Amino acid sequence: MKERIGVYICHCGGNISDYVDVEKVRQAVEHEKGVALAKTTLFACSDANQNDMVEDIRTHNLDGVIVASCSPKLHLTTFRNVTERGELNKYTYVHTNIREQASWAHSNDKEGATDKAIRLVKAAIAKSRFAEPLYPNLFEAEKTIAVIGAGIAGMKAAAALADKQTEVLLIEKEHRVGGHTATWGTLAMTEESGSTLTERIYHDLLRRENVTIMTGTEVISSKGSIGNFTLKVRKRPTKDGDPVETAEFTVGSVVVATGFDSYQPKEGELGFAQSDNVITLPEFRHLIDRAEGKELVYNGRKIRHIAYIYCVGSRQTNGENTYCSRFCCTSAIHASILVKKKFAKINNYHLNRGIRTYGKQELLYAESLAMGDLYLQWGEETPPAVVMEGKGATITLRDILSSNRELELEADLVVLVTGMVPRADNSVGTLFKLPRGRDRFFNEVHMKLRPVETVIDGVTIAGSCQGPKNITESVNSALSAATKSFSLISKGTLETEPIVAEVNSDICSWCGKCAEACPFDAILQKEVGGKTVAMVNNSVCKGCGMCAPVCPPDAINLINYSSEEIMSMIDALA
């Protein structure tokens, strides 16, 4: 049992101390059994305080450390490393969250927030007294990496991994590489076309002998965990009657770069599908990329006046796509510049909710203005009304930029500037149990601290499967995901968390309820002493504890969360 515990209560720069009396918390716990040191600190995670903690461990001969601060999602690893630098076992460190669970949750009741923080810290002290040293599980890792999706992000990730002298499997469901980019003409901020860019990256990949490119292939099952994923793939036949081929590969980690779908407007949404005069931005790009001659002609009609309606499928008030797709403004403005350069008599009207051409893309906005394009801004409560009349459309809107005057304009063609939405086919996400955010794109652990990692160890995400991105952002994301995936298996020997479930074989008589409750398929059947019992795969188990409460004979325990620890915490809280 720990007898010299150090307790640190963080102000979090006011995030905690504005609502919790941290000094009162310190005074309330400093004389608790086993506490040798209790301090408050402005920022527990700062380098200065980390160094002070290491010095305290040595000077005061501490055998346990507790930090009461923010969510363990942010700094559990930080303080475990501090404990280790102080030559203590890092798994004896106990973290307690008094920001999200006390300060922020009860910001309207400072006294109540302080009382709750005291109870949470006392519970952490009770747990720390029984915390035993643990050691990570070690096993050998396969050094091959799979990249799923051969768009620009997937191909760049594969190239980066190949340069690190590792074997790479690049798996693409379609029979060609490049994704959406391969179908595009001239790209914004460059004179290169999407098809040319795709060809250049593809041929660069072909020169790397350690990259295996499998097009027309989809992943149909995944077993195992970080270091040893077994992927089963199926070759999609190119024509009817071709045999269906399957194969299995073992990889150490996986980069998911499955891309996005373009938003498809509903019938009647701003006139879509009710008239040939209303098309989406991707359709418009294909139209102007193929157009030739002195006049822009669509469906046998000459086009002079084009209205672009922004934020279709993004920033929805009543829909599910409340996010901004970010790339749409730039894409629409770039398309309007291309069409004007190709056909001088074109008049462009941009009906927007605020232009977001960030960074150097602002130059495109300036160029569009210089060419005479007209920008009208509407609010979310008063969207444009599109009325189809004969071969054209009449659009009515209230323009914020002219003091909410109601304006009416006629257009030969209406272009709906559609955003990005998650892939409708979510089979890969389902296979790997990848979580999704509120925007329904794949979700990272933390946007700043772990921006390409998922809660599934060994699986990283890259490109627009994570959220709307332009090509540059997708490439940066891909390089980050590739680096992280490689770092996970580069040493050949992997360490996994020792905080996993364990089964008492003497008590267990297999009923299967634990396996049904496990979200990570970490529980298997095993024959022991002539009977079938549950067995935990330590490399897959995440220590979530879902299995323990459903076990009828109470044969499953969670390491580091023993009944003794939990009951002592309950006593402290109560």
Side-chain angles (χ1 to χ4, degrees):
M1 181 177 287
K2 301 291 183 296
E3 297 179 349
R4 298 194 61 80
I5 301 169
V7 181
Y8 298 83
I9 301 108
C10 183
H11 287 244
C12 199
N15 281 304
I16 293 173
S17 59
D18 284 352
Y19 309 103
V20 171
D21 187 339
V22 293
E23 180 59 27
K24 186 176 180 180
V25 176
R26 188 195 68 78
Q27 293 171 359
V29 303
E30 65 178 336
H31 299 301
E32 284 288 300
K33 180 182 177 182
V35 174
L37 175 72
K39 283 184 172 182
T40 63
T41 175
L42 186 60
F43 288 106
C45 59
S46 68
D47 289 342
N49 187 71
Q50 289 185 45
N51 292 333
D52 288 345
M53 288 174 66
V54 173
E55 187 61 30
D56 287 343
I57 292 170
R58 294 168 178 165
T59 303
H60 297 277
N61 195 28
L62 301 181
D63 56 7
V65 175
I66 295 168
V67 176
S69 58
C70 56
S71 167
K73 283 183 66 176
L74 289 176
H75 287 301
L76 175 64
T77 302
T78 301
F79 297 121
R80 276 184 177 176
N81 292 338
V82 171
T83 306
E84 200 167 37
R85 280 158 50 195
E87 299 181 358
L88 295 179
N89 184 283
K90 66 181 180 181
Y91 294 105
T92 61
Y93 167 76
V94 177
H95 192 101
T96 186
N97 181 359
I98 63 170
R99 188 180 72 177
E100 282 84 347
Q101 293 182 3
S103 170
W104 286 357
H106 308 286
S107 57
N108 61 337
D109 180 6
K110 294 183 180 182
E111 186 176 339
T114 301
D115 181 63
K116 185 175 182 181
I118 291 171
R119 291 170 183 267
L120 289 170
V121 176
K122 285 184 176 181
I125 294 169
K127 175 174 170 50
S128 183
R129 294 193 197 108
F130 297 98
E132 295 294 332
L134 300 174
Y135 301 92
N137 301 306
L138 302 177
F139 59 93
E140 293 300 311
E142 174 64 48
K143 287 193 174 182
T144 301
I145 297 176
V147 179
I148 303 177
I152 297 299
M155 289 194 292
K156 292 298 287 186
L161 289 166
D163 290 342
K164 299 180 189 300
Q165 309 306 314
T166 187
E167 293 294 323
V168 183
L169 302 177
L170 181 58
I171 305 168
E172 170 55 50
K173 187 167 67 172
E174 301 300 327
H175 290 284
R176 59 169 179 81
V177 299
H180 293 280
T181 307
T183 67
W184 295 339
T186 305
L187 302 173
M189 310 306 296
T190 175
E191 294 302 315
E192 191 172 29
S193 70
S195 56
T196 303
L197 174 64
T198 301
E199 284 293 315
R200 177 162 58 81
I201 298 173
Y202 177 61
H203 288 299
D204 185 47
L205 273 179
L206 292 177
R207 288 195 292 269
R208 291 168 164 81
E209 295 182 356
N210 53 342
V211 177
T212 302
I213 303 174
M214 295 181 285
T215 55
T217 305
E218 58 185 332
V219 181
I220 57 175
S221 74
S222 170
K223 295 180 180 179
S225 60
I226 180 172
N228 288 283
F229 289 102
T230 300
L231 305 183
K232 185 175 183 180
V233 301
R234 178 174 58 207
K235 184 77 174 177
R236 299 174 68 192
T238 54
K239 60 180 183 294
D240 292 340
D242 284 354
V244 176
E245 301 175 14
T246 61
E248 283 191 351
F249 301 94
T250 301
V251 299
S253 60
V254 178
V255 178
V256 175
T258 50
F260 69 96
D261 284 340
S262 291
Y263 176 77
Q264 190 69 8
K266 300 177 178 62
E267 183 175 351
E269 184 175 355
L270 297 168
F272 184 75
Q274 293 180 335
S275 170
D276 292 338
N277 300 343
V278 181
I279 62 175
T280 63
L281 181 60
E283 293 170 335
F284 180 66
R285 277 305 309 264
H286 293 319
L287 170 64
I288 60 176
D289 287 341
R290 295 192 303 265
E292 296 178 349
K294 296 181 179 180
E295 299 273 5
L296 177 62
V297 178
Y298 180 66
N299 283 343
R301 294 179 288 104
K302 292 181 181 179
I303 304 299
R304 292 286 177 85
H305 305 284
I306 304 174
Y308 306 85
I309 301 180
Y310 285 59
C311 295
V312 179
S314 298
R315 302 173 68 195
Q316 293 176 323
T317 305
N318 299 316
E320 56 186 2
N321 304 327
T322 58
Y323 54 86
C324 170
S325 286
R326 305 174 71 247
F327 85 107
C328 331
C329 290
T330 300
S331 295
I333 293 172
H334 180 241
S336 72
I337 292 172
L338 290 178
V339 75
K340 191 112 178 197
K341 285 181 176 178
K342 212 167 186 179
F343 308 104
K345 296 180 180 180
I346 292 291
N347 294 312
N348 292 315
Y349 307 100
H350 298 263
L351 283 55
N352 66 88
R353 287 178 57 191
I355 298 298
R356 298 183 178 184
T357 48
Y358 48 93
K360 291 184 178 179
Q361 297 165 149
E362 190 75 16
L363 296 172
L364 290 174
Y365 179 50
E367 184 179 357
S368 169
L369 289 172
M371 296 175 72
D373 285 6
L374 182 63
Y375 285 80
L376 306 171
Q377 187 172 337
W378 52 278
E380 61 179 343
E381 68 283 352
T382 55
V386 180
V387 178
M388 311 312 303
E389 295 181 348
K391 296 182 178 180
T394 299
I395 304 173
T396 306
L397 81 157
R398 290 190 177 277
D399 178 32
I400 293 174
L401 303 179
S402 58
S403 301
N404 285 321
R405 289 179 60 186
E406 185 171 294
L407 304 177
E408 186 177 281
L409 61 92
E410 294 182 354
D412 303 315
L413 187 65
V414 176
V415 178
L416 304 183
V417 181
T418 49
M420 292 182 180
V421 294
R423 286 279 192 194
D425 179 2
N426 185 32
S427 58
V428 170
T430 302
L431 286 177
F432 292 102
K433 297 181 171 62
L434 295 181
R436 289 176 172 252
R438 284 179 293 181
D439 58 6
R440 296 170 294 112
F441 287 93
F442 294 141
N443 207 19
E444 69 283 346
V445 173
H446 190 280
M447 65 176 67
K448 293 182 179 179
L449 301 179
R450 299 170 68 185
V452 295
E453 296 175 70
T454 69
V455 295
I456 307 302
D457 291 340
V459 180
T460 58
I461 48 179
S464 52
C465 70
Q466 184 182 10
K469 292 179 177 65
N470 62 31
I471 292 175
T472 300
E473 293 161 344
S474 293
V475 169
N476 290 338
S477 167
L479 298 179
S480 177
T483 301
K484 174 50 76 174
S485 279
F486 178 75
S487 71
L488 294 172
I489 63 168
S490 59
K491 294 179 182 179
T493 301
L494 281 176
E495 291 187 0
T496 60
E497 285 278 304
I499 302 173
V500 296
E502 59 180 355
V503 179
N504 186 332
S505 300
D506 295 334
I507 302 176
C508 176
S509 56
W510 175 263
C511 66
K513 290 186 177 180
C514 54
E516 293 173 8
C518 179
F520 302 103
D521 298 328
I523 298 179
L524 309 172
Q525 296 183 51
K526 182 182 179 181
E527 293 294 325
V528 175
K531 68 172 183 175
T532 303
V533 299
M535 180 190 73
V536 178
N537 183 344
N538 289 347
S539 64
V540 179
C541 179
K542 302 297 179 190
C544 68
M546 295 289 286
C547 54
V550 301
C551 179
D554 197 22
I556 299 181
N557 198 24
L558 194 61
I559 295 174
N560 209 40
Y561 291 92
S562 64
S563 296
E564 191 175 34
E565 289 172 275
I566 297 299
M567 292 308 296
S568 67
M569 292 175 71
I570 292 172
D571 289 341
L573 284 167

